Amino acid sequence: MLTGVLFVCHANLCRSPMAEYTARRLLAGRPLTVASAGTDAVEGLEMHPHAAEIAAGAGADPAAFRSRRLASAHLTEAVLVLTATRRQRSICTALAPAALHRTFTLRQFGRLAAAAAPATDEPDDSLEAAVAAAALARGRLQPAPADADDLRDPVAGTPADFRACAEEIERSLRPLAALIGAAG
């Protein structure tokens, strides 16, 4: 059974946890699960301190967060898989080929969702409807430059780098939230 949104980055310490917490806030009140994992994560680590500060500043409590390594089951159970980079998207689709049509980079999906017409034919599952609508928009958009899809890793950066990354994550997730809202 497919359930929710999975965010994937390298170590599951910065980008994917910030995306997870941002999505939880933007999609609050929806019956969706939101989770994250890392392609090369070490199990059980705390969120990066700068990422935790951003999550706490947005009203979340990141104290219980622990990193987890990506497994094929995570991918096969997700309705939508959003990765930080094209490389991670490739790893995800190699690990679970059945997830190919519902795996995107976060920035790519944000562009597609912004260009999508709201789907109204699947009222029972607004997330699946949003994914289908965004996938249909793919044929109407010009391909973006390759570097337009990758979300820069702030891990060695300053708090300002983390804030910039968090802002980019939110910009990319707002169209998804709007599309889900329009679908039901």
Side-chain angles (χ1 to χ4, degrees):
M1 178 177 185
L2 300 178
T3 63
V5 183
L6 174 68
F7 294 97
V8 178
C9 72
H10 180 77
N12 194 214
L13 298 175
C14 303
R15 294 169 293 179
S16 59
M18 288 193 299
E20 176 184 343
Y21 280 74
T22 301
R24 284 188 182 157
R25 179 174 44 82
L26 293 175
L27 301 172
R30 298 270 176 200
L32 301 172
T33 60
V34 179
S36 64
T39 57
D40 296 278
V42 173
E43 292 275 341
L45 298 179
E46 293 180 0
M47 191 183 305
H48 188 285
H50 295 324
E53 182 180 320
I54 287 170
D61 181 6
F65 178 87
R66 295 295 178 266
S67 60
R68 67 181 187 159
R69 188 170 184 89
L70 181 67
S72 61
H74 300 141
L75 299 163
T76 57
E77 293 168 0
V79 173
L80 176 61
V81 178
L82 297 174
T83 68
T85 67
R86 292 170 291 127
R87 178 185 172 276
Q88 289 141 6
R89 183 183 63 206
S90 293
I91 291 169
C92 289
T93 58
L95 192 57
L100 173 69
H101 297 293
R102 48 192 164 77
T103 302
F104 306 82
T105 69
L106 176 62
R107 294 179 74 191
Q108 172 194 32
F109 193 83
R111 285 192 311 275
L112 294 172
T120 57
D121 60 344
E122 298 178 54
D124 291 340
D125 192 332
S126 56
L127 179 57
E128 283 186 14
V131 172
L136 284 174
R138 189 179 272 165
R140 294 193 312 267
L141 294 180
Q142 290 296 320
D147 63 345
D149 283 342
D150 289 348
L151 183 62
R152 191 171 143 316
D153 192 348
V155 71
T158 66
D161 295 327
F162 276 79
R163 280 191 302 278
C165 183
E167 289 167 3
E168 182 62 35
I169 289 168
E170 181 149 352
R171 265 192 305 277
S172 296
L173 286 175
R174 284 201 175 278
L176 169 62
L179 201 53
I180 288 173

